[in-house]
Amino acid sequence: MPFINPILEWDHDDPDNRVKWETQQDALKYTDEPYVYHVFAHDAVGLAGALQRAVDNPIDRYIRELAPLRPE
């Protein structure tokens, strides 16, 4: 299931700079569509677009790869 990740704070002069984003789920801010749809807070048009793209691009199950386990 895709996730809508609201961007709560960002650099207005460089809005695509994810390093400066504060999101609802920061662990997902480098995961892209079609798994995570990032939408700037209070952007109703952006939210509607993200929802439509999610409907238009269904996904299979996805489990994000975590850091490898340390050898024992």
Side-chain angles (χ1 to χ4, degrees):
M1 172 179 291
F3 181 75
I4 301 291
N5 194 24
I7 304 166
L8 307 172
E9 296 181 27
W10 64 94
D11 181 343
H12 292 268
D13 294 325
D14 189 11
D16 294 326
N17 185 347
R18 294 183 191 200
V19 171
K20 297 182 180 181
W21 286 3
E22 296 293 330
T23 68
Q24 180 178 330
Q25 294 294 326
D26 278 338
L28 298 176
K29 72 180 175 181
Y30 295 105
T31 304
D32 290 319
E33 297 179 12
Y35 305 106
V36 178
Y37 292 80
H38 304 285
V39 178
F40 292 99
H42 311 291
D43 180 1
V45 173
L47 176 60
L51 291 171
Q52 188 61 58
R53 290 191 309 279
V55 168
D56 292 343
N57 298 289
I59 60 172
D60 291 328
R61 182 176 178 203
Y62 173 74
I63 300 174
R64 184 173 169 242
E65 186 176 329
L66 300 177
L69 297 175
R70 288 183 273 176
E72 294 183 27

